[in-house]
Amino acid sequence: MGAVKKQTNAPGKEKSSEYFRGVWSELKKVHWPDRKQLLTYTGVVLVAVAFVAVLLWVVDSGFSILVTKILG
């Protein structure tokens, strides 16, 4: 019978140092926003969250009033 050669670099079995070198290499490719862009994006997110919160509050209050009137 022929001998089966053991695979030394099985998928998913990288050394941790190679993994972190790869992660660091990919992080260097990321386009990071400058301070002005970051503040703008943060403002947009906060306004959107506030809008959705108010919208949910209005809908919840409406349903609450409706259920109270129905169940009396």
Side-chain angles (χ1 to χ4, degrees):
M1 292 225 171
V4 177
K5 186 175 180 181
K6 188 176 181 181
Q7 187 177 1
T8 57
N9 278 338
K13 299 283 185 179
E14 291 183 299
K15 288 192 227 173
S16 61
S17 61
E18 291 176 14
Y19 171 77
F20 285 112
R21 264 189 253 132
V23 169
W24 188 252
S25 172
E26 291 299 319
L27 281 174
K28 288 180 185 178
K29 297 176 187 177
V30 174
H31 171 73
W32 297 101
D34 59 14
R35 184 174 176 84
K36 184 178 178 184
Q37 288 174 327
L38 184 64
L39 291 174
T40 301
Y41 298 157
T42 302
V44 168
V45 168
L46 291 176
V47 167
V49 167
F51 175 76
V52 170
V54 168
L55 180 66
L56 288 174
W57 175 71
V58 168
V59 170
D60 183 53
S61 296
F63 280 133
S64 178
I65 292 170
L66 183 66
V67 168
T68 302
K69 288 189 186 257
I70 291 173
L71 298 178

